[in-house]
Amino acid sequence: MTATETKRRPTRGRKLIIAALVVGGLLVAADFGLAAAGEYQVAQKMRQKLGLSEDPSVRINGFPFVTQAIAGDYRDIEISATGVPVRDQLRDLEIHANLRHVRIGLSDLLAGNTRGAKIDQVQGSVKIKANDLNRVVNQVTPFTDMAIEPDTRTELTAGQQADPAVAAVKLSGNTTVASRKIRITAYGTVALANGDVVISMNDVELDDTSLAGLDAVLGVVREALSVTIHPGELPFTVTPTAVKVESGALTVEGAISDIPLNEAG
């Protein structure tokens, strides 16, 4: 074996490795390109079905995309939209949906033809943020700087603890009584009733207990914060079954199985 032959072999090996990397990179790029095209078509369909002013964010999870496309089974399509208005009460809803096992052929998906598409399960949620709650409460009594927090003080009954449609909530904000600005903190529950979100306040605290007619003030504040919110339908007409309290928002959740993709609205 000559010295020249010894030098050539590693060179050929490097070329093969480089070629394989280039081909692999092109395949990955093509895979992401197909996924992006599919996401665009789903976004267009969801914008129309959900009545949105802009395309929602759509992500087809799982790699590689092409294996899902060949099978016609997309394991998880994630859809989200923010700033969604409902009636005059709510203007900043956040909508989220996970579509589990969307069954549609690649050619139909890329053409935007969803007539025959089926979904094994949809998990949907609507998030009501503090600024929207502030707007609803203001229809009764002016409040500012409304805050939503999980409540660790309110004691739920055993039945309430086992019910995902009930949660403890803590609300706080500023209001004006007798020309005096006061800070209020209220404790109670949030529950689902026929798709509505019902907030009931049990205990109210003020940072100024020297106000004249304190009991009457507490009663007015309790009534103002005990409101019913109509968040509209969940995506894909999912029936709400659970409500959660997190810092800054109330989230209504639900799931539905075996539904056509065209029944998004």
Side-chain angles (χ1 to χ4, degrees):
M1 181 181 295
T2 66
T4 302
E5 288 176 335
T6 304
K7 291 180 181 179
R8 282 177 181 172
R9 287 183 179 176
T11 301
R12 290 173 185 159
R14 283 195 295 270
K15 287 181 179 179
L16 287 174
I17 293 172
I18 292 171
L21 291 174
V22 170
V23 171
L26 291 174
L27 290 175
V28 170
D31 191 85
F32 278 104
L34 277 176
E39 290 166 352
Y40 172 78
Q41 291 296 341
V42 174
Q44 291 286 294
K45 185 64 65 175
M46 293 302 100
R47 176 178 179 175
Q48 174 188 350
K49 288 292 182 181
L50 299 175
L52 304 176
S53 59
E54 299 179 356
D55 288 353
S57 171
V58 174
R59 178 180 177 86
I60 301 177
N61 294 317
F63 179 83
F65 171 83
V66 69
T67 59
Q68 300 182 75
I70 292 172
D73 179 5
Y74 305 87
R75 295 186 295 273
D76 179 23
I77 298 180
E78 193 172 343
I79 301 170
S80 59
T82 58
V84 179
V86 173
R87 304 184 182 94
D88 294 330
Q89 277 191 324
L90 309 173
R91 303 175 190 172
D92 192 25
L93 292 181
E94 185 173 317
I95 294 175
H96 188 87
N98 280 89
L99 284 52
R100 311 290 187 188
H101 294 287
V102 178
R103 303 184 185 276
I104 181 175
L106 178 60
S107 59
D108 284 335
L109 176 64
L110 296 181
N113 177 19
T114 59
R115 285 192 299 270
K118 300 284 186 180
I119 311 170
D120 283 10
Q121 185 188 60
V122 176
Q123 293 177 314
S125 67
V126 170
K127 183 175 291 187
I128 304 168
K129 300 177 184 177
N131 56 348
D132 269 341
L133 176 60
N134 203 148
R135 192 174 295 110
V136 173
V137 171
N138 274 348
Q139 297 178 6
V140 181
T141 299
F143 275 86
T144 59
D145 304 322
M146 182 68 66
I148 301 172
E149 297 291 342
D151 175 17
T152 57
R153 192 176 101 167
T154 298
E155 294 185 5
L156 299 179
T157 65
Q160 289 175 328
Q161 291 176 9
D163 188 353
V166 180
V169 63
K170 172 185 173 182
L171 303 179
S172 58
N174 297 315
T175 189
T176 301
V177 176
S179 301
R180 294 163 67 177
K181 185 176 180 180
I182 60 172
R183 180 75 177 173
I184 62 94
T185 304
Y187 304 87
T189 60
V190 55
L192 295 178
N194 299 319
D196 291 337
V197 177
V198 180
I199 300 175
S200 303
M201 291 292 101
N202 303 319
D203 189 18
V204 178
E205 296 178 347
L206 307 181
D207 65 350
D208 186 349
T209 58
S210 65
L211 288 170
L214 180 61
D215 289 342
V217 172
L218 292 174
V220 170
V221 171
R222 188 181 299 109
E223 181 180 353
L225 294 178
S226 298
V227 296
T228 297
I229 302 175
H230 312 284
E233 289 186 343
L234 292 183
F236 298 86
T237 62
V238 169
T239 300
T241 55
V243 62
K244 296 181 179 179
V245 180
E246 57 189 88
S247 181
L250 309 172
T251 300
V252 180
E253 300 177 334
I256 191 171
S257 299
D258 299 323
I259 183 173
L261 179 58
N262 274 358
E263 291 187 12

